[in-house]
């Protein structure tokens, strides 16, 4: 039995019962098969929807009277329902893959690495009037707060190397530095959540070739925002508790060997859980689901593709790091050498609290985050869509939502 949700209309907020469908409301001819969600309320969605009983999700048994698409030729590449392709008919027979429909930023078929990255960049380039204001405003707020926190929380700390400090001063310095790091991280996470929620809605429309304004993206993302915060906090809490279970016993016993073993076991588990639940955010936003169901959906979609998603995620992170470094480093150098006292400020630690280095570093981070956040969010959304195309034939529902008639029912 296939329990995959359909492609919910961006902005709709169906209840769980509406999303899954009421068996009593289904026609008798569907045999209980799941019906895809039919987008309503938006004139841009296709008005030509299939009649009840003529579409079942991949994996469900179609009714006897369901019309079947004509068979593909034995030679060449032929597209089958669900985004699958038949291989050439025999040895030495070369065919070609027919171009898939591309109503928006991606073709409606399983995606390659290049198409996922290109789709993220294409959305930022094509829909920059919506994307850039969101990321620019959030990045600016994050960095302004971060600069103020770093300036005033570290301003009273003694300068100089740790060798010149007393034990009490060293502890105070370490505590203040950790506090600043925690505050900055919390601000960063909250800002990222807001950006992720809004950009997910923009990407969901960009896939269909539709534009979305900033106000529309906020209106569509807002109902799920608290759930997205809860999802992020629950995942972070799980990681912390896992670390406590693995590392804390050795620390309490004073056994550094156990601490090292626990830490070595903790890091791979963090990575594994991070990839396993990496698609929970788009599942939560686009399927209008609960936090627990979003975790379950991500686990199901990632199953069997963990290494592929891990590789794409790591590559995206490396690209983001290199872009950020190339942008931020020059601003930091300008701030330190032109306004912060040069190398001496790095030695005595005054560069951490001087206005010049802080402001120029913040400007560089604002520019970097404005570019990086859409790419990272886009890759996550497109990985989610790609996995659903591969496993659930989502390309058919996307094609109908984009107004492409008879998609997947003809050989051309």
């Amino acid at each position: 039995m296939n329990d995959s949700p359909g492609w919910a209309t961006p902005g709709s907020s169906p209840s769980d019962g509406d999303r899954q469908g009421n068996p009593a409301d289904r026609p008798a001819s569907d045999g209980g098969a799941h019906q895809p969600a039919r987008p309503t309320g938006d004139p841009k969605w296709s008005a030509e929807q299939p009649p009840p009983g003529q579409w079942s999700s991949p994996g469900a048994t179609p009714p006897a009277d369901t019309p079947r698409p004509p068979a593909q030729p034995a030679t060449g590449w032929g597209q089958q329902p669900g985004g699958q392709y038949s291989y050439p008919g025999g040895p030495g027979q070369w065919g070609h893959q027919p171009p898939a429909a591309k109503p928006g930023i991606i073709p409606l078929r399983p995606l390659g690495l290049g198409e996922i990255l290109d789709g993220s960049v294409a959305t930022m380039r094509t829909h920059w009037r919506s994307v850039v204001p969101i990321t620019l405003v959030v990045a600016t707020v994050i960095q302004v707060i971060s600069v103020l926190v770093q300036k005033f929380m570290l301003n009273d700390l003694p300068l100089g190397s740790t060798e010149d400090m007393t034990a009490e001063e060293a502890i105070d310095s370490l505590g203040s530095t950790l506090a600043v790091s925690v505050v900055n991280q919390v601000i960063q996470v909250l800002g990222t959540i807001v950006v992720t929620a809004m950009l997910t809605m923009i990407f969901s429309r960009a896939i269909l070739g539709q534009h979305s304004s900033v106000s529309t993206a906020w209106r569509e993302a807002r109902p799920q925002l608290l759930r997205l915060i809860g999802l992020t906090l629950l995942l972070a809490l799980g990681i912390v508790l896992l670390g406590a279970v693995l590392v804390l016993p050795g620390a309490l016993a004073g056994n550094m060997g156990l601490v090292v073993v626990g830490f070595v076991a903790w890091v791979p588990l963090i990575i594994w859980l991070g990839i396993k639940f990496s698609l929970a955010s788009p599942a939560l936003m686009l399927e209008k689901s609960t936090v627990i169901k979003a975790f379950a959906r991500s686990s199901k979609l990632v199953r069997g593709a963990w290494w592929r998603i891990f590789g794409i995620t790591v590559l995206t992170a490396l690209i983001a790091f290199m872009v950020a470094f190339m942008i931020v480093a020059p601003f930091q150098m300008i701030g330190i050498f032109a306004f912060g006292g040069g190398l001496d400020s790095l030695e005595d630690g005054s560069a951490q609290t001087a206005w010049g280095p802080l402001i120029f570093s913040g400007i560089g981070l604002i520019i970097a985050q404005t570019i990086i956040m859409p790419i990272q969010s886009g890759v996550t959304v497109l990985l989610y869509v790609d996995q659903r195309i591969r496993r659930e034939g989502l390309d058919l529902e996307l094609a109908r939502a984009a107004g492409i008639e008879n998609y997947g029912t003809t050989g051309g």
Side-chain angles (χ1 to χ4, degrees):
M1 179 177 180
N2 192 298
D3 58 353
S4 303
W7 182 257
T9 307
S12 61
S13 301
S15 64
D16 291 341
D18 293 336
R19 183 170 53 257
Q20 297 296 335
N22 187 348
D25 297 335
R26 297 175 181 170
S29 60
D30 70 351
H34 171 74
Q35 298 295 330
R38 296 188 180 186
T40 58
D42 191 333
K44 294 183 179 180
W45 293 79
S46 173
E48 297 294 329
Q49 299 296 331
Q54 293 193 6
W55 158 251
S56 59
S57 297
T61 303
D65 58 348
T66 301
R68 298 181 179 274
Q72 299 293 334
T75 60
W77 295 80
Q79 185 179 8
Q80 303 296 328
Q84 304 299 322
Y85 295 89
S86 61
Y87 289 87
Q93 295 181 348
W94 292 88
H96 68 280
Q97 176 179 326
K102 188 178 179 181
I105 57 173
I106 58 170
L108 301 184
R109 56 171 170 76
L111 303 174
L113 169 62
E115 291 169 325
I116 291 175
L117 294 174
D118 181 69
S120 299
V121 176
T123 301
M124 184 170 60
R125 184 175 62 248
T126 306
H127 303 273
W128 65 270
R129 289 182 178 85
S130 300
V131 173
V132 173
I134 293 172
T135 55
L136 180 60
V137 169
V138 173
T140 301
V141 172
I142 290 173
Q143 292 308 318
V144 167
I145 297 176
S146 178
V147 166
L148 294 176
V149 167
Q150 191 167 344
K151 172 65 178 178
F152 293 108
M153 289 187 68
L154 299 180
N155 196 44
D156 296 331
L157 293 181
L159 301 178
S161 63
T162 54
E163 297 177 355
D164 300 330
M165 299 181 186
T166 65
E168 183 178 353
E169 289 176 340
I171 293 175
D172 290 342
S173 177
L174 178 61
S176 298
T177 303
L178 289 176
V180 169
S181 178
V182 170
V183 171
N184 286 340
Q185 193 63 36
V186 170
I187 296 169
Q188 181 73 40
V189 169
L190 292 176
T192 302
I193 289 173
V194 174
V195 169
T196 299
M198 297 180 68
L199 291 185
T200 298
M201 312 317 297
I202 291 176
F203 272 94
S204 70
R205 288 184 176 272
I207 290 171
L208 305 179
Q210 301 174 359
H211 291 271
S212 180
S213 65
V214 175
S215 59
T216 300
W218 171 249
R219 185 172 62 253
E220 294 171 350
R222 186 174 55 189
Q224 291 291 94
L225 196 57
L226 288 179
R227 287 183 175 180
L228 185 58
I229 294 174
L231 183 148
T232 305
L233 293 178
L234 187 60
L235 182 59
L237 179 61
I239 291 174
V240 171
L241 291 178
L242 183 62
V245 170
L246 294 175
V247 179
L248 195 58
L252 294 176
N255 189 326
M256 289 304 299
L258 287 178
V259 172
V260 172
V261 170
F263 185 79
V264 170
W266 184 37
V267 173
L269 284 175
I270 292 176
I271 297 173
W272 179 74
L273 287 174
I275 300 301
K276 181 182 179 66
F277 298 127
S278 61
L279 305 184
S281 171
L284 179 79
M285 299 301 300
L286 297 178
E287 298 177 16
K288 312 299 181 186
S289 64
T290 62
V291 172
I292 302 302
K293 288 183 178 180
F295 279 128
R297 285 287 291 151
S298 178
S299 177
K300 178 180 178 181
L301 292 172
V302 171
R303 189 180 304 126
W306 191 95
W307 284 107
R308 177 174 180 270
I309 295 175
F310 170 76
I312 294 175
T313 302
V314 170
L315 179 61
T316 304
L318 289 176
I319 293 173
F321 172 79
M322 289 188 293
V323 171
F325 178 79
M326 289 187 294
I327 295 174
V328 176
F331 281 91
Q332 288 180 331
M333 293 298 101
I334 293 173
I336 291 173
F337 288 98
F339 302 97
L343 294 177
D344 293 337
S345 66
L346 294 177
E347 294 179 359
D348 61 23
S350 61
Q352 295 182 6
T353 56
W355 280 115
L358 287 176
I359 291 175
F360 273 85
S361 178
I363 293 174
L365 287 170
I366 289 172
I367 298 172
Q369 289 180 329
T370 301
I371 298 173
I372 290 171
M373 286 193 288
I375 295 176
Q376 293 180 313
S377 297
V379 167
T380 302
V381 173
L382 294 182
L383 277 173
Y384 162 83
V385 172
D386 175 58
Q387 286 303 110
R388 288 199 60 185
I389 289 176
R390 293 172 182 270
R391 294 176 178 270
E392 303 169 359
L394 182 65
D395 54 325
L396 299 177
E397 295 184 32
L398 291 174
R400 283 197 293 270
I404 303 174
E405 299 181 4
N406 301 320
Y407 181 80
T409 61
T410 59

